[in-house]
Amino acid sequence: MMRLGLVAVLWCGLWLPPLRNALESDMPLHMTVQLPLLAATGVLMVPAVCRRELRWLADADWLGIPGLVLVLFSTSYWMLPVALDSAFSDWRIEAAKFVSLPLAVGLPLGLSWQRMPPLGRAFVIANVISKLGAVGGLFLVAPVRVCAYYPLDQQVKAGGALIGIATALAFSRVPCFALRVVLDCAGQIRRSSFTAPTGGRRRYTLLATAVAKQSG
Amino acid sequence: MGAVLVVCGVGVLVIQFVARFPALTCARRDNAACCERWRLTRGFLPLLGLVVGVGLAARSSATHGFRVVTTEGARRLAVENHSPTIPDVALIDQNGTRFSLDAYRGRVLLVDFIYTDCPTICGVLGSNLAEVMDLLSREGGVLQHVNLLSISFDPARDGPRELSACGARFGATAPHWRVAVPATAEGLRALLKTFGEVIIPDQFGGFTFTRNDSVYLVDRQGRLVRILDPDAPATLLAEAARSGS
């Protein structure tokens, strides 16, 4: 309950005009602060929601694939310049943004990520990095304004910010994931004679206990 | 968008129907292999189909059927499809003469939006239009059919004196090329709305503006038919001639 309260406070804070106008009047802040914070409210909801998650939905979300496909569709939607513009000029699109980012990005991301095996996670991260890099690069070099409501200098700054985020993600996540996938494959080969393959997270705990037994 | 939704809906229904046959899925949920198959056909595939369908439908509706990604693109597409009639607004030109937009009926009109204080892009726009004017006057007869109009959206500062100075810089002479300002604030609002021109203050704090860098083509019936890039005078002229013939 505490957590849902926190989510509600954060969401309302973002929605109230002073903060909303401040964040939306600037293209880099809009794309790299407001949109991720809205998605974060959805991720924060996960512990409160996952115990009450419908059984059939959890069953149907096989390996977290439908959930992550939903996340990729919604994030790429809110990267469209025309969607950013409409959110600025049309209150209905703005409302859709405030509802869809927590419920169609943050929440499914948090729920499906736990079900996704490491290879799937690595694929999603690689997809996000390349998409951020492509959009950022487009904003940096485009000679014309892509958004009707933001001047060219803000567009260039937003491009730089997106490329910065993509680079940070690449340097922080990619080595980690590569290591995990390698470890996972190695563990599977070693255990294949006596264990049936199981879900992503469980496999690590199995691997960790096996390693601990051998070393200790 | 509707088509995508229908296709996905039918797909989900087909999967649900197929999944009803025990031979293809399972009736007994306590069998593990059976359960896995149930999960794939009854849960996973319909959910995935639904997600992909809704995602594509949303994207298709925002991008007008995957054709545009920017507001500018959407605006140009809408003008080409619907061609709104421009409002009959009264303007005051660089000589202080009052005229109305309906006076241009029967002639093709190239319109651009300016403000005389403009430091950068208006200069380029002006010289491009000056080149169009030059091409027009060389072709003699065309001049009677194609006119140019630069409309200022800054009536607070742009009076006939400023407009006249601005027009002189590019060799604009009425009535073939008027540099004008709407006589009333309502008139300006109506014009900006119909032309879909978005004007935002730029980083210098409200003293200068950023607006769409476009030239608008209005046909003989007073309809806005095309939105063009200002950087190709020959193309502008060709489009105007095509629209006028």
Side-chain angles (χ1 to χ4, degrees):
Chain A
M1 274 296 108
M2 267 292 289
R3 189 175 272 276
L4 281 183
L6 178 76
V7 167
V9 168
L10 182 59
W11 192 86
C12 291
L14 284 170
W15 182 77
L16 285 175
L19 190 56
R20 189 171 48 147
N21 291 345
L23 289 179
E24 285 183 359
S25 63
D26 188 70
M27 189 169 167
L29 287 181
H30 192 177
M31 290 200 79
T32 62
V33 178
Q34 194 199 37
L35 303 185
L37 276 179
L38 278 173
T41 59
V43 177
L44 284 176
M45 270 190 261
V46 168
V49 170
C50 72
R51 262 171 280 134
R52 267 169 261 163
E53 193 188 6
L54 295 171
R55 174 68 204 275
W56 69 265
L57 195 62
D59 268 351
D61 193 13
W62 182 55
L63 299 181
I65 292 171
L68 260 300
V69 168
L70 177 63
V71 171
L72 292 182
F73 265 114
S74 338
T75 47
S76 69
Y77 180 89
W78 290 113
M79 277 189 199
L80 289 173
V82 67
L84 282 184
D85 273 338
S86 317
F88 204 86
S89 62
D90 187 344
W91 67 269
R92 286 166 302 180
I93 306 284
E94 177 79 347
K97 186 178 86 180
F98 270 77
V99 173
S100 76
L101 279 168
L103 295 184
V105 177
L107 193 60
L109 182 68
L111 288 172
S112 301
W113 194 251
Q114 303 166 357
R115 302 181 189 123
M116 188 151 257
L119 199 60
R121 293 182 185 186
F123 172 78
V124 170
I125 289 280
N127 187 303
V128 166
I129 290 173
S130 60
K131 207 186 293 177
L132 283 178
V135 173
L138 173 76
F139 284 2
L140 266 184
V141 301
V144 293
R145 291 183 302 133
V146 293
C147 286
Y149 291 94
Y150 295 111
L152 200 59
D153 64 314
Q154 287 193 11
Q155 179 179 318
V156 171
K157 272 188 221 154
L162 289 184
I163 287 192
I165 292 174
T167 316
L169 263 182
F171 275 105
S172 63
R173 304 306 295 173
V174 167
C176 166
F177 269 107
L179 192 67
R180 272 186 164 193
V181 170
V182 167
L183 275 181
D184 192 61
C185 291
Q188 210 165 41
I189 291 164
R190 273 167 56 195
R191 280 183 290 103
S192 58
S193 52
F194 54 91
T195 340
T198 46
R201 175 148 295 188
R202 185 158 157 66
R203 217 177 283 173
Y204 293 130
T205 43
L206 279 177
L207 181 63
T209 33
V211 170
K213 263 183 201 162
Q214 278 184 2
S215 57
Chain B
M1 176 184 166
V4 177
L5 270 181
V6 167
V7 167
C8 287
V10 169
V12 169
L13 286 179
V14 166
I15 290 168
Q16 288 282 327
F17 180 73
V18 168
R20 277 179 195 285
F21 294 101
L24 293 170
T25 60
C26 70
R28 292 171 50 222
R29 297 283 306 274
D30 51 348
N31 178 325
C34 200
C35 215
E36 193 65 17
R37 212 159 56 207
W38 181 91
R39 180 186 196 180
L40 276 180
T41 49
R42 293 297 292 270
F44 170 67
L45 288 178
L47 187 63
L48 187 64
L50 194 69
V51 164
V52 170
V54 170
L56 285 179
R59 208 178 163 83
S60 157
S61 101
T63 58
H64 295 261
F66 305 101
R67 278 176 293 179
V68 296
V69 292
T70 60
T71 309
E72 181 67 17
R75 195 169 72 106
R76 291 185 179 198
L77 197 66
V79 159
E80 277 167 40
N81 287 342
H82 303 300
S83 306
T85 304
I86 59 167
D88 180 24
V89 168
L91 297 108
I92 297 162
D93 74 4
Q94 68 261 53
N95 301 335
T97 316
R98 202 183 159 101
F99 66 100
S100 87
L101 278 180
D102 267 3
Y104 285 104
R105 288 283 169 98
R107 270 172 290 179
V108 174
L109 188 59
L110 288 170
V111 180
D112 70 328
F113 285 87
I114 57 155
Y115 60 105
T116 58
D117 231 7
C118 181
T120 51
I121 186 71
C122 303
V124 182
L125 188 55
S127 49
N128 280 325
L129 283 189
E131 201 171 322
V132 171
M133 201 66 214
D134 200 36
L135 290 169
L136 278 175
S137 32
R138 247 183 278 159
E139 293 190 19
V142 188
L143 201 57
Q144 277 88 53
H145 307 298
V146 183
N147 282 180
L148 271 60
L149 174 62
S150 299
I151 301 175
S152 162
F153 53 80
D154 190 13
R157 269 174 290 171
D158 292 347
R161 196 153 48 90
E162 288 81 11
L163 295 175
S164 164
C166 178
R169 242 166 69 207
F170 301 109
T173 47
H176 298 310
W177 184 357
R178 284 190 166 112
V179 184
V181 63
T184 60
E186 294 85 71
L188 176 61
R189 266 199 298 278
L191 279 180
L192 292 178
K193 189 162 182 287
T194 310
F195 282 85
E197 178 80 21
V198 175
I199 290 150
I200 50 170
D202 70 8
Q203 73 263 42
F204 305 115
F207 291 97
T208 52
F209 306 93
T210 301
R211 82 272 179 285
N212 307 15
D213 311 323
S214 316
V215 173
Y216 301 84
L217 179 62
V218 178
D219 73 0
R220 289 161 180 270
Q221 286 83 42
R223 290 174 312 177
L224 175 59
V225 285
R226 292 292 295 273
I227 300 177
L228 301 158
D229 286 325
D231 53 2
T235 316
L236 286 179
L237 192 63
E239 283 288 342
R242 201 163 64 95
S243 167
S245 61

